Amino acid sequence: MSDNQVDPSGNTEAFRAFTRPGPEAEAPSKIPYVIGGLVAVVLLALIAVLVLR
């Protein structure tokens, strides 16, 4: 008896089409990188001030 459901892992092309994000997928946010960069700059400035005293 044949199975009516298609297994997307059956071949590479079908699997790639199954896992490809659709148009509703959003780009990841860069806000955490910006905040992390600002924290790093502040910490480096604080260290520089403490060392150069």
Side-chain angles (χ1 to χ4, degrees):
M1 181 185 266
S2 67
D3 201 3
N4 290 337
Q5 294 181 351
V6 176
D7 181 12
S9 65
N11 65 31
T12 304
E13 183 179 348
F15 181 74
R16 286 182 180 161
F18 178 75
T19 59
R20 188 174 301 129
E24 69 279 352
E26 295 180 14
S29 177
K30 294 182 181 179
I31 292 175
Y33 295 113
V34 171
I35 293 172
L38 291 174
V39 169
V41 167
V42 168
L43 286 175
L44 288 173
L46 180 62
I47 291 171
V49 166
L50 291 175
V51 169
L52 296 175
R53 257 189 186 189

